[in-house]
Amino acid sequence: MKQFGSLAAFTAGLYVLQTSLLPLIAYRGISPDLMLLLTVSFAFLRGARQGSLLGFLTGLMQDLSTGTFLGTNAFTHLLLGLVCGHFSDRVFKEQFFLPVLASLAATTANYFILALLMVLLGYRFNPVSNVQAMLLPMLIYQLAFAYPVHRLTYVLDKKLSEKEKH
């Protein structure tokens, strides 16, 4: 139970950081998505099952706080946690380069899945200008924050693994 409390406190801390401080450095309303970075890192470290569960919970937290369509972020984060978790047994846990690159791929996939959902819901937008205005700044932010989030998640996972053994 202590492991769950540590993970919940870490997730809540990142969420508070994402919703309170990071909007201060937002560029045209775009700020880093720490919940997505946490989901990707956790999925690489713990596997598809736990990664998708954490992805669902972090996405649900975002959906409940933003007031957008309920379930869109929960669905995309769950899906990306599942996909990244399938690669967890093929990745060295100490390697930090791959999760950072995977966070860029996950951010791009998250953007296009959400864009597809918006188109299916009947919203119209110019995809080329929207990619330039939204996706490129988001990728730069994600690249800047991917390593620190993954490093902190790795340290937390190591402590949780040690507690599970005892």
Side-chain angles (χ1 to χ4, degrees):
M1 196 61 170
K2 285 186 178 183
Q3 291 91 350
F4 177 74
S6 300
L7 180 60
F10 179 65
T11 304
L14 281 180
Y15 185 72
V16 167
L17 180 68
Q18 176 178 326
T19 56
S20 62
L21 294 178
L22 292 182
L24 297 174
I25 62 167
Y27 174 76
R28 295 185 182 178
I30 307 296
S31 61
D33 188 356
L34 299 181
M35 296 296 101
L36 182 62
L37 294 175
L38 174 63
T39 299
V40 169
S41 295
F42 195 76
F44 270 119
L45 295 170
R46 287 290 181 131
R49 192 174 202 168
Q50 291 182 17
S52 60
L53 176 64
L54 185 71
F56 175 76
L57 294 175
T58 58
L60 189 61
M61 284 172 48
Q62 285 182 320
D63 285 336
L64 291 174
S65 69
T66 59
T68 58
F69 295 108
L70 184 63
T72 54
N73 285 318
F75 172 70
T76 58
H77 286 203
L78 178 138
L79 200 62
L80 294 170
L82 185 68
V83 169
C84 290
H86 279 296
F87 294 107
S88 68
D89 58 344
R90 300 179 197 146
V91 176
F92 293 115
K93 305 294 186 207
E94 293 80 24
Q95 185 180 14
F96 292 103
F97 184 68
L98 186 60
V100 168
L101 284 181
S103 69
L104 296 178
T107 301
T108 305
N110 185 48
Y111 172 80
F112 283 113
I113 292 169
L114 289 174
L116 178 65
L117 287 173
M118 291 299 119
V119 168
L120 291 174
L121 288 170
Y123 291 91
R124 303 270 183 245
F125 63 94
N126 184 353
V128 174
S129 66
N130 204 341
V131 165
Q132 291 173 346
M134 291 187 69
L135 183 61
L136 293 180
M138 176 67 86
L139 288 174
I140 292 169
Y141 275 130
Q142 296 295 80
L143 185 62
F145 285 91
Y147 179 76
V149 170
H150 182 69
R151 184 74 184 156
L152 290 171
T153 307
Y154 177 75
V155 169
L156 177 69
D157 179 59
K158 208 168 187 184
K159 287 181 181 180
L160 292 177
S161 296
E162 288 174 5
K163 286 182 182 179
E164 287 174 357
K165 289 180 184 177
H166 288 49

